[in-house]
Structure formats: C-alpha cells, structure tokens
PDB file of all heavy atoms in Angstrom:
ATOM      1  N   LYS A   1      99.821 113.551 106.508  1.00 88.00           N
ATOM      2  CA  LYS A   1      99.453 113.314 105.123  1.00 88.00           C
ATOM      3  C   LYS A   1      99.940 114.471 104.264  1.00 88.00           C
ATOM      4  O   LYS A   1      99.669 115.635 104.566  1.00 88.00           O
ATOM      5  CB  LYS A   1      97.926 113.164 104.990  1.00 88.00           C
ATOM      6  CG  LYS A   1      97.469 112.797 103.581  1.00 88.00           C
ATOM      7  CD  LYS A   1      95.961 112.629 103.520  1.00 88.00           C
ATOM      8  CE  LYS A   1      95.512 112.241 102.114  1.00 88.00           C
ATOM      9  NZ  LYS A   1      94.043 112.099 102.026  1.00 88.00           N
ATOM     10  N   ASP A   2     100.683 114.130 103.207  1.00 87.00           N
ATOM     11  CA  ASP A   2     101.196 115.121 102.256  1.00 87.00           C
ATOM     12  C   ASP A   2     101.974 116.240 102.949  1.00 87.00           C
ATOM     13  O   ASP A   2     101.844 117.428 102.599  1.00 87.00           O
ATOM     14  CB  ASP A   2     100.038 115.726 101.440  1.00 87.00           C
ATOM     15  CG  ASP A   2      99.304 114.684 100.613  1.00 87.00           C
ATOM     16  OD1 ASP A   2      99.951 113.698 100.213  1.00 87.00           O
ATOM     17  OD2 ASP A   2      98.088 114.848 100.387  1.00 87.00           O
ATOM     18  N   GLY A   3     102.767 115.879 103.958  1.00 87.00           N
ATOM     19  CA  GLY A   3     103.607 116.867 104.634  1.00 87.00           C
ATOM     20  C   GLY A   3     102.897 117.693 105.673  1.00 87.00           C
ATOM     21  O   GLY A   3     103.516 118.561 106.313  1.00 87.00           O
ATOM     22  N   VAL A   4     101.597 117.450 105.864  1.00 93.00           N
ATOM     23  CA  VAL A   4     100.819 118.187 106.872  1.00 93.00           C
ATOM     24  C   VAL A   4     100.541 117.266 108.051  1.00 93.00           C
ATOM     25  O   VAL A   4     100.022 116.167 107.882  1.00 93.00           O
ATOM     26  CB  VAL A   4      99.491 118.709 106.292  1.00 93.00           C
ATOM     27  CG1 VAL A   4      98.690 119.430 107.374  1.00 93.00           C
ATOM     28  CG2 VAL A   4      99.754 119.630 105.111  1.00 93.00           C
ATOM     29  N   VAL A   5     100.901 117.723 109.238  1.00 93.00           N
ATOM     30  CA  VAL A   5     100.667 116.953 110.457  1.00 93.00           C
ATOM     31  C   VAL A   5      99.417 117.496 111.140  1.00 93.00           C
ATOM     32  O   VAL A   5      99.334 118.693 111.437  1.00 93.00           O
ATOM     33  CB  VAL A   5     101.872 117.036 111.414  1.00 93.00           C
ATOM     34  CG1 VAL A   5     101.549 116.331 112.732  1.00 93.00           C
ATOM     35  CG2 VAL A   5     103.103 116.405 110.771  1.00 93.00           C
ATOM     36  N   THR A   6      98.442 116.628 111.366  1.00 94.00           N
ATOM     37  CA  THR A   6      97.208 117.010 112.056  1.00 94.00           C
ATOM     38  C   THR A   6      97.241 116.417 113.461  1.00 94.00           C
ATOM     39  O   THR A   6      97.514 115.235 113.629  1.00 94.00           O
ATOM     40  CB  THR A   6      95.976 116.485 111.297  1.00 94.00           C
ATOM     41  OG1 THR A   6      95.997 116.991 109.959  1.00 94.00           O
ATOM     42  CG2 THR A   6      94.700 116.932 111.983  1.00 94.00           C
ATOM     43  N   ALA A   7      96.980 117.263 114.457  1.00 93.00           N
ATOM     44  CA  ALA A   7      97.072 116.810 115.847  1.00 93.00           C
ATOM     45  C   ALA A   7      95.878 117.289 116.654  1.00 93.00           C
ATOM     46  O   ALA A   7      95.349 118.387 116.428  1.00 93.00           O
ATOM     47  CB  ALA A   7      98.360 117.325 116.483  1.00 93.00           C
ATOM     48  N   LEU A   8      95.440 116.447 117.582  1.00 90.00           N
ATOM     49  CA  LEU A   8      94.388 116.842 118.511  1.00 90.00           C
ATOM     50  C   LEU A   8      94.950 117.817 119.532  1.00 90.00           C
ATOM     51  O   LEU A   8      96.162 117.869 119.766  1.00 90.00           O
ATOM     52  CB  LEU A   8      93.820 115.616 119.218  1.00 90.00           C
ATOM     53  CG  LEU A   8      93.184 114.525 118.337  1.00 90.00           C
ATOM     54  CD1 LEU A   8      92.656 113.397 119.209  1.00 90.00           C
ATOM     55  CD2 LEU A   8      92.073 115.107 117.486  1.00 90.00           C
ATOM     56  N   GLY A   9      94.063 118.557 120.158  1.00 88.00           N
ATOM     57  CA  GLY A   9      94.493 119.531 121.156  1.00 88.00           C
ATOM     58  C   GLY A   9      95.157 118.889 122.364  1.00 88.00           C
ATOM     59  O   GLY A   9      95.934 119.526 123.069  1.00 88.00           O
ATOM     60  N   THR A  10      94.840 117.602 122.592  1.00 82.00           N
ATOM     61  CA  THR A  10      95.413 116.892 123.747  1.00 82.00           C
ATOM     62  C   THR A  10      96.696 116.139 123.398  1.00 82.00           C
ATOM     63  O   THR A  10      97.277 115.482 124.255  1.00 82.00           O
ATOM     64  CB  THR A  10      94.384 115.892 124.292  1.00 82.00           C
ATOM     65  OG1 THR A  10      93.940 115.036 123.224  1.00 82.00           O
ATOM     66  CG2 THR A  10      93.190 116.611 124.899  1.00 82.00           C
ATOM     67  N   ALA A  11      97.130 116.226 122.132  1.00 85.00           N
ATOM     68  CA  ALA A  11      98.344 115.514 121.721  1.00 85.00           C
ATOM     69  C   ALA A  11      99.590 116.199 122.270  1.00 85.00           C
ATOM     70  O   ALA A  11      99.570 117.375 122.645  1.00 85.00           O
ATOM     71  CB  ALA A  11      98.424 115.437 120.197  1.00 85.00           C
ATOM     72  N   SER A  12     100.684 115.458 122.312  1.00 85.00           N
ATOM     73  CA  SER A  12     101.957 116.004 122.797  1.00 85.00           C
ATOM     74  C   SER A  12     102.570 116.909 121.741  1.00 85.00           C
ATOM     75  O   SER A  12     102.763 116.498 120.597  1.00 85.00           O
ATOM     76  CB  SER A  12     102.920 114.861 123.140  1.00 85.00           C
ATOM     77  OG  SER A  12     104.244 115.336 123.295  1.00 85.00           O
ATOM     78  N   ILE A  13     102.901 118.140 122.109  1.00 90.00           N
ATOM     79  CA  ILE A  13     103.506 119.074 121.159  1.00 90.00           C
ATOM     80  C   ILE A  13     104.911 118.617 120.769  1.00 90.00           C
ATOM     81  O   ILE A  13     105.353 118.837 119.636  1.00 90.00           O
ATOM     82  CB  ILE A  13     103.531 120.510 121.743  1.00 90.00           C
ATOM     83  CG1 ILE A  13     103.984 121.507 120.673  1.00 90.00           C
ATOM     84  CG2 ILE A  13     104.405 120.585 122.975  1.00 90.00           C
ATOM     85  CD1 ILE A  13     103.074 121.582 119.469  1.00 90.00           C
ATOM     86  N   GLU A  14     105.613 117.940 121.666  1.00 87.00           N
ATOM     87  CA  GLU A  14     106.948 117.426 121.339  1.00 87.00           C
ATOM     88  C   GLU A  14     106.854 116.341 120.270  1.00 87.00           C
ATOM     89  O   GLU A  14     107.686 116.291 119.355  1.00 87.00           O
ATOM     90  CB  GLU A  14     107.630 116.875 122.591  1.00 87.00           C
ATOM     91  CG  GLU A  14     108.052 117.945 123.586  1.00 87.00           C
ATOM     92  CD  GLU A  14     108.858 117.369 124.738  1.00 87.00           C
ATOM     93  OE1 GLU A  14     109.110 116.149 124.730  1.00 87.00           O
ATOM     94  OE2 GLU A  14     109.234 118.140 125.642  1.00 87.00           O
ATOM     95  N   ASP A  15     105.829 115.484 120.377  1.00 87.00           N
ATOM     96  CA  ASP A  15     105.642 114.429 119.376  1.00 87.00           C
ATOM     97  C   ASP A  15     105.319 115.026 118.011  1.00 87.00           C
ATOM     98  O   ASP A  15     105.741 114.487 116.980  1.00 87.00           O
ATOM     99  CB  ASP A  15     104.531 113.470 119.811  1.00 87.00           C
ATOM    100  CG  ASP A  15     104.919 112.628 121.018  1.00 87.00           C
ATOM    101  OD1 ASP A  15     106.123 112.580 121.321  1.00 87.00           O
ATOM    102  OD2 ASP A  15     104.020 112.046 121.651  1.00 87.00           O
ATOM    103  N   VAL A  16     104.580 116.131 118.001  1.00 92.00           N
ATOM    104  CA  VAL A  16     104.247 116.787 116.739  1.00 92.00           C
ATOM    105  C   VAL A  16     105.517 117.299 116.066  1.00 92.00           C
ATOM    106  O   VAL A  16     105.759 117.057 114.877  1.00 92.00           O
ATOM    107  CB  VAL A  16     103.255 117.946 116.964  1.00 92.00           C
ATOM    108  CG1 VAL A  16     103.071 118.743 115.674  1.00 92.00           C
ATOM    109  CG2 VAL A  16     101.914 117.414 117.448  1.00 92.00           C
ATOM    110  N   TYR A  17     106.338 118.013 116.814  1.00 91.00           N
ATOM    111  CA  TYR A  17     107.563 118.583 116.233  1.00 91.00           C
ATOM    112  C   TYR A  17     108.586 117.502 115.896  1.00 91.00           C
ATOM    113  O   TYR A  17     109.435 117.695 115.024  1.00 91.00           O
ATOM    114  CB  TYR A  17     108.150 119.638 117.171  1.00 91.00           C
ATOM    115  CG  TYR A  17     107.595 121.032 116.897  1.00 91.00           C
ATOM    116  CD1 TYR A  17     106.337 121.396 117.361  1.00 91.00           C
ATOM    117  CD2 TYR A  17     108.309 121.946 116.151  1.00 91.00           C
ATOM    118  CE1 TYR A  17     105.809 122.657 117.096  1.00 91.00           C
ATOM    119  CE2 TYR A  17     107.795 123.210 115.876  1.00 91.00           C
ATOM    120  CZ  TYR A  17     106.548 123.561 116.352  1.00 91.00           C
ATOM    121  OH  TYR A  17     106.035 124.809 116.071  1.00 91.00           O
ATOM    122  N   ASP A  18     108.506 116.368 116.592  1.00 88.00           N
ATOM    123  CA  ASP A  18     109.384 115.236 116.245  1.00 88.00           C
ATOM    124  C   ASP A  18     109.121 114.756 114.820  1.00 88.00           C
ATOM    125  O   ASP A  18     110.026 114.240 114.157  1.00 88.00           O
ATOM    126  CB  ASP A  18     109.163 114.075 117.227  1.00 88.00           C
ATOM    127  CG  ASP A  18     109.906 114.292 118.537  1.00 88.00           C
ATOM    128  OD1 ASP A  18     110.797 115.164 118.580  1.00 88.00           O
ATOM    129  OD2 ASP A  18     109.586 113.597 119.522  1.00 88.00           O
ATOM    130  N   LYS A  19     107.883 114.916 114.359  1.00 89.00           N
ATOM    131  CA  LYS A  19     107.539 114.512 112.990  1.00 89.00           C
ATOM    132  C   LYS A  19     108.356 115.286 111.954  1.00 89.00           C
ATOM    133  O   LYS A  19     108.613 114.803 110.854  1.00 89.00           O
ATOM    134  CB  LYS A  19     106.048 114.743 112.726  1.00 89.00           C
ATOM    135  CG  LYS A  19     105.106 113.861 113.538  1.00 89.00           C
ATOM    136  CD  LYS A  19     105.099 112.438 113.010  1.00 89.00           C
ATOM    137  CE  LYS A  19     104.056 111.592 113.714  1.00 89.00           C
ATOM    138  NZ  LYS A  19     104.054 110.187 113.211  1.00 89.00           N
ATOM    139  N   PHE A  20     108.765 116.508 112.329  1.00 90.00           N
ATOM    140  CA  PHE A  20     109.565 117.344 111.426  1.00 90.00           C
ATOM    141  C   PHE A  20     111.059 117.268 111.743  1.00 90.00           C
ATOM    142  O   PHE A  20     111.864 117.975 111.140  1.00 90.00           O
ATOM    143  CB  PHE A  20     109.105 118.805 111.512  1.00 90.00           C
ATOM    144  CG  PHE A  20     107.660 119.022 111.182  1.00 90.00           C
ATOM    145  CD1 PHE A  20     106.761 119.434 112.165  1.00 90.00           C
ATOM    146  CD2 PHE A  20     107.185 118.810 109.901  1.00 90.00           C
ATOM    147  CE1 PHE A  20     105.421 119.643 111.858  1.00 90.00           C
ATOM    148  CE2 PHE A  20     105.849 119.007 109.586  1.00 90.00           C
ATOM    149  CZ  PHE A  20     104.966 119.420 110.566  1.00 90.00           C
ATOM    150  N   GLY A  21     111.411 116.411 112.711  1.00 86.00           N
ATOM    151  CA  GLY A  21     112.816 116.306 113.095  1.00 86.00           C
ATOM    152  C   GLY A  21     113.295 117.496 113.893  1.00 86.00           C
ATOM    153  O   GLY A  21     114.501 117.793 113.926  1.00 86.00           O
ATOM    154  N   ILE A  22     112.378 118.204 114.554  1.00 88.00           N
ATOM    155  CA  ILE A  22     112.728 119.382 115.356  1.00 88.00           C
ATOM    156  C   ILE A  22     112.563 119.051 116.827  1.00 88.00           C
ATOM    157  O   ILE A  22     111.510 118.567 117.256  1.00 88.00           O
ATOM    158  CB  ILE A  22     111.836 120.588 114.985  1.00 88.00           C
ATOM    159  CG1 ILE A  22     112.015 120.946 113.509  1.00 88.00           C
ATOM    160  CG2 ILE A  22     112.160 121.789 115.871  1.00 88.00           C
ATOM    161  CD1 ILE A  22     111.067 122.026 113.019  1.00 88.00           C
ATOM    162  N   GLU A  23     113.595 119.324 117.598  1.00 85.00           N
ATOM    163  CA  GLU A  23     113.547 119.073 119.046  1.00 85.00           C
ATOM    164  C   GLU A  23     113.265 120.378 119.773  1.00 85.00           C
ATOM    165  O   GLU A  23     114.026 121.339 119.670  1.00 85.00           O
ATOM    166  CB  GLU A  23     114.869 118.477 119.521  1.00 85.00           C
ATOM    167  CG  GLU A  23     114.870 118.119 120.997  1.00 85.00           C
ATOM    168  CD  GLU A  23     116.172 117.472 121.449  1.00 85.00           C
ATOM    169  OE1 GLU A  23     117.030 117.209 120.581  1.00 85.00           O
ATOM    170  OE2 GLU A  23     116.319 117.251 122.660  1.00 85.00           O
ATOM    171  N   LEU A  24     112.150 120.414 120.473  1.00 85.00           N
ATOM    172  CA  LEU A  24     111.784 121.608 121.232  1.00 85.00           C
ATOM    173  C   LEU A  24     112.537 121.653 122.553  1.00 85.00           C
ATOM    174  O   LEU A  24     112.683 120.635 123.235  1.00 85.00           O
ATOM    175  CB  LEU A  24     110.276 121.620 121.508  1.00 85.00           C
ATOM    176  CG  LEU A  24     109.352 121.818 120.293  1.00 85.00           C
ATOM    177  CD1 LEU A  24     107.903 121.716 120.736  1.00 85.00           C
ATOM    178  CD2 LEU A  24     109.602 123.158 119.639  1.00 85.00           C
ATOM    179  N   LYS A  25     113.025 122.819 122.904  1.00 80.00           N
ATOM    180  CA  LYS A  25     113.711 122.994 124.182  1.00 80.00           C
ATOM    181  C   LYS A  25     112.685 123.313 125.269  1.00 80.00           C
ATOM    182  O   LYS A  25     111.650 123.932 125.004  1.00 80.00           O
ATOM    183  CB  LYS A  25     114.740 124.127 124.083  1.00 80.00           C
ATOM    184  CG  LYS A  25     115.853 123.829 123.076  1.00 80.00           C
ATOM    185  CD  LYS A  25     116.811 124.997 122.981  1.00 80.00           C
ATOM    186  CE  LYS A  25     117.908 124.720 121.957  1.00 80.00           C
ATOM    187  NZ  LYS A  25     118.822 125.864 121.806  1.00 80.00           N
ATOM    188  N   ASP A  26     112.983 122.893 126.496  1.00 71.00           N
ATOM    189  CA  ASP A  26     112.038 123.075 127.597  1.00 71.00           C
ATOM    190  C   ASP A  26     111.693 124.539 127.808  1.00 71.00           C
ATOM    191  O   ASP A  26     110.548 124.871 128.142  1.00 71.00           O
ATOM    192  CB  ASP A  26     112.619 122.489 128.891  1.00 71.00           C
ATOM    193  CG  ASP A  26     112.721 120.974 128.836  1.00 71.00           C
ATOM    194  OD1 ASP A  26     111.987 120.378 128.017  1.00 71.00           O
ATOM    195  OD2 ASP A  26     113.517 120.395 129.589  1.00 71.00           O
ATOM    196  N   GLU A  27     112.680 125.431 127.602  1.00 69.00           N
ATOM    197  CA  GLU A  27     112.425 126.848 127.853  1.00 69.00           C
ATOM    198  C   GLU A  27     111.567 127.486 126.761  1.00 69.00           C
ATOM    199  O   GLU A  27     111.059 128.599 126.916  1.00 69.00           O
ATOM    200  CB  GLU A  27     113.739 127.627 127.990  1.00 69.00           C
ATOM    201  CG  GLU A  27     114.664 127.534 126.783  1.00 69.00           C
ATOM    202  CD  GLU A  27     115.645 126.390 126.882  1.00 69.00           C
ATOM    203  OE1 GLU A  27     115.395 125.454 127.678  1.00 69.00           O
ATOM    204  OE2 GLU A  27     116.658 126.434 126.174  1.00 69.00           O
ATOM    205  N   GLU A  28     111.404 126.779 125.625  1.00 76.00           N
ATOM    206  CA  GLU A  28     110.617 127.316 124.520  1.00 76.00           C
ATOM    207  C   GLU A  28     109.127 127.084 124.687  1.00 76.00           C
ATOM    208  O   GLU A  28     108.320 127.808 124.115  1.00 76.00           O
ATOM    209  CB  GLU A  28     111.067 126.687 123.193  1.00 76.00           C
ATOM    210  CG  GLU A  28     112.463 127.086 122.757  1.00 76.00           C
ATOM    211  CD  GLU A  28     112.871 126.432 121.441  1.00 76.00           C
ATOM    212  OE1 GLU A  28     112.401 125.305 121.175  1.00 76.00           O
ATOM    213  OE2 GLU A  28     113.641 127.051 120.692  1.00 76.00           O
ATOM    214  N   VAL A  29     108.754 126.048 125.427  1.00 80.00           N
ATOM    215  CA  VAL A  29     107.339 125.707 125.581  1.00 80.00           C
ATOM    216  C   VAL A  29     106.994 125.539 127.059  1.00 80.00           C
ATOM    217  O   VAL A  29     107.750 124.978 127.822  1.00 80.00           O
ATOM    218  CB  VAL A  29     106.997 124.407 124.818  1.00 80.00           C
ATOM    219  CG1 VAL A  29     107.090 124.628 123.327  1.00 80.00           C
ATOM    220  CG2 VAL A  29     107.901 123.268 125.225  1.00 80.00           C
ATOM    221  N   GLU A  30     105.839 126.081 127.419  1.00 78.00           N
ATOM    222  CA  GLU A  30     105.389 125.969 128.800  1.00 78.00           C
ATOM    223  C   GLU A  30     104.363 124.856 128.975  1.00 78.00           C
ATOM    224  O   GLU A  30     104.155 124.368 130.078  1.00 78.00           O
ATOM    225  CB  GLU A  30     104.790 127.305 129.269  1.00 78.00           C
ATOM    226  CG  GLU A  30     105.816 128.435 129.345  1.00 78.00           C
ATOM    227  CD  GLU A  30     105.212 129.711 129.884  1.00 78.00           C
ATOM    228  OE1 GLU A  30     104.020 129.688 130.272  1.00 78.00           O
ATOM    229  OE2 GLU A  30     105.921 130.736 129.930  1.00 78.00           O
ATOM    230  N   SER A  31     103.705 124.479 127.889  1.00 80.00           N
ATOM    231  CA  SER A  31     102.699 123.419 127.948  1.00 80.00           C
ATOM    232  C   SER A  31     103.166 122.223 127.145  1.00 80.00           C
ATOM    233  O   SER A  31     103.819 122.362 126.112  1.00 80.00           O
ATOM    234  CB  SER A  31     101.358 123.925 127.400  1.00 80.00           C
ATOM    235  OG  SER A  31     100.407 122.881 127.369  1.00 80.00           O
ATOM    236  N   SER A  32     102.820 121.040 127.624  1.00 79.00           N
ATOM    237  CA  SER A  32     103.219 119.813 126.919  1.00 79.00           C
ATOM    238  C   SER A  32     102.205 119.407 125.860  1.00 79.00           C
ATOM    239  O   SER A  32     102.494 118.557 125.028  1.00 79.00           O
ATOM    240  CB  SER A  32     103.387 118.673 127.936  1.00 79.00           C
ATOM    241  OG  SER A  32     102.161 118.402 128.596  1.00 79.00           O
ATOM    242  N   MET A  33     101.023 120.032 125.885  1.00 84.00           N
ATOM    243  CA  MET A  33      99.967 119.660 124.944  1.00 84.00           C
ATOM    244  C   MET A  33      99.810 120.702 123.848  1.00 84.00           C
ATOM    245  O   MET A  33     100.136 121.881 124.032  1.00 84.00           O
ATOM    246  CB  MET A  33      98.638 119.477 125.671  1.00 84.00           C
ATOM    247  CG  MET A  33      98.619 118.297 126.626  1.00 84.00           C
ATOM    248  SD  MET A  33      96.987 118.055 127.324  1.00 84.00           S
ATOM    249  CE  MET A  33      97.266 116.590 128.323  1.00 84.00           C
ATOM    250  N   VAL A  34      99.280 120.258 122.716  1.00 90.00           N
ATOM    251  CA  VAL A  34      99.088 121.134 121.564  1.00 90.00           C
ATOM    252  C   VAL A  34      98.203 122.322 121.916  1.00 90.00           C
ATOM    253  O   VAL A  34      98.520 123.473 121.585  1.00 90.00           O
ATOM    254  CB  VAL A  34      98.479 120.342 120.384  1.00 90.00           C
ATOM    255  CG1 VAL A  34      97.991 121.286 119.293  1.00 90.00           C
ATOM    256  CG2 VAL A  34      99.503 119.367 119.823  1.00 90.00           C
ATOM    257  N   GLY A  35      97.080 122.064 122.601  1.00 88.00           N
ATOM    258  CA  GLY A  35      96.159 123.137 122.950  1.00 88.00           C
ATOM    259  C   GLY A  35      96.805 124.217 123.789  1.00 88.00           C
ATOM    260  O   GLY A  35      96.691 125.419 123.492  1.00 88.00           O
ATOM    261  N   GLY A  36      97.489 123.814 124.841  1.00 87.00           N
ATOM    262  CA  GLY A  36      98.153 124.778 125.713  1.00 87.00           C
ATOM    263  C   GLY A  36      99.264 125.524 124.995  1.00 87.00           C
ATOM    264  O   GLY A  36      99.469 126.727 125.216  1.00 87.00           O
ATOM    265  N   PHE A  37      99.985 124.816 124.142  1.00 91.00           N
ATOM    266  CA  PHE A  37     101.060 125.428 123.358  1.00 91.00           C
ATOM    267  C   PHE A  37     100.521 126.543 122.469  1.00 91.00           C
ATOM    268  O   PHE A  37     101.089 127.641 122.405  1.00 91.00           O
ATOM    269  CB  PHE A  37     101.743 124.341 122.522  1.00 91.00           C
ATOM    270  CG  PHE A  37     102.676 124.845 121.467  1.00 91.00           C
ATOM    271  CD1 PHE A  37     103.945 125.300 121.786  1.00 91.00           C
ATOM    272  CD2 PHE A  37     102.274 124.865 120.130  1.00 91.00           C
ATOM    273  CE1 PHE A  37     104.805 125.768 120.795  1.00 91.00           C
ATOM    274  CE2 PHE A  37     103.126 125.324 119.138  1.00 91.00           C
ATOM    275  CZ  PHE A  37     104.399 125.777 119.468  1.00 91.00           C
ATOM    276  N   ILE A  38      99.414 126.273 121.752  1.00 92.00           N
ATOM    277  CA  ILE A  38      98.835 127.264 120.845  1.00 92.00           C
ATOM    278  C   ILE A  38      98.326 128.479 121.602  1.00 92.00           C
ATOM    279  O   ILE A  38      98.570 129.633 121.207  1.00 92.00           O
ATOM    280  CB  ILE A  38      97.709 126.622 120.007  1.00 92.00           C
ATOM    281  CG1 ILE A  38      98.299 125.578 119.051  1.00 92.00           C
ATOM    282  CG2 ILE A  38      96.940 127.682 119.230  1.00 92.00           C
ATOM    283  CD1 ILE A  38      97.259 124.794 118.278  1.00 92.00           C
ATOM    284  N   ILE A  39      97.631 128.251 122.704  1.00 90.00           N
ATOM    285  CA  ILE A  39      97.113 129.368 123.508  1.00 90.00           C
ATOM    286  C   ILE A  39      98.258 130.222 124.033  1.00 90.00           C
ATOM    287  O   ILE A  39      98.209 131.455 124.025  1.00 90.00           O
ATOM    288  CB  ILE A  39      96.252 128.833 124.673  1.00 90.00           C
ATOM    289  CG1 ILE A  39      94.957 128.217 124.132  1.00 90.00           C
ATOM    290  CG2 ILE A  39      95.933 129.936 125.670  1.00 90.00           C
ATOM    291  CD1 ILE A  39      94.133 127.505 125.179  1.00 90.00           C
ATOM    292  N   ASP A  40      99.344 129.555 124.463  1.00 89.00           N
ATOM    293  CA  ASP A  40     100.504 130.279 124.993  1.00 89.00           C
ATOM    294  C   ASP A  40     101.147 131.150 123.912  1.00 89.00           C
ATOM    295  O   ASP A  40     101.509 132.305 124.168  1.00 89.00           O
ATOM    296  CB  ASP A  40     101.514 129.267 125.543  1.00 89.00           C
ATOM    297  CG  ASP A  40     102.781 129.941 126.030  1.00 89.00           C
ATOM    298  OD1 ASP A  40     102.694 130.831 126.887  1.00 89.00           O
ATOM    299  OD2 ASP A  40     103.880 129.560 125.551  1.00 89.00           O
ATOM    300  N   LYS A  41     101.289 130.609 122.699  1.00 90.00           N
ATOM    301  CA  LYS A  41     101.953 131.360 121.631  1.00 90.00           C
ATOM    302  C   LYS A  41     101.052 132.455 121.042  1.00 90.00           C
ATOM    303  O   LYS A  41     101.543 133.516 120.645  1.00 90.00           O
ATOM    304  CB  LYS A  41     102.406 130.411 120.521  1.00 90.00           C
ATOM    305  CG  LYS A  41     103.445 129.388 120.975  1.00 90.00           C
ATOM    306  CD  LYS A  41     104.644 130.044 121.638  1.00 90.00           C
ATOM    307  CE  LYS A  41     105.619 129.024 122.199  1.00 90.00           C
ATOM    308  NZ  LYS A  41     106.717 129.655 122.962  1.00 90.00           N
TER     309      LYS A  41
END
C-alpha cells in the first residue's frame, strides 16, 4: 500500500523483494524467511 510492502515474519524474503523488482542472490541471504533475514542482517 502506497509503496510500502508489509510482510509477516514467515513470508518469503524473495517474494518481498520481487515486489520492488529486485532479485536477491543466494549468497546475499542465508534465510528464506523475512524473520530469519532480519535477524541475520
């Protein structure tokens, strides 16, 4: 909504970044979920 993507902690981080047209590389992320991605970063 209005350019802001809201995602649950269990959502796919790749799907989130797809909303912005950004493709995440496997070496950039260790977790496939939003929660794990945030904790890792």
Side-chain angles (χ1 to χ4, degrees):
K1 185 179 181 181
D2 298 330
V4 178
V5 175
T6 303
L8 300 181
T10 54
S12 166
I13 188 62
E14 289 186 2
D15 291 345
V16 172
Y17 271 79
D18 280 345
K19 294 286 186 181
F20 302 113
I22 300 174
E23 183 178 354
L24 292 176
K25 297 178 181 178
D26 292 338
E27 58 269 19
E28 292 180 329
V29 292
E30 294 183 4
S31 176
S32 62
M33 293 185 178
V34 168
F37 168 77
I38 293 174
I39 291 172
D40 176 56
K41 297 306 175 186

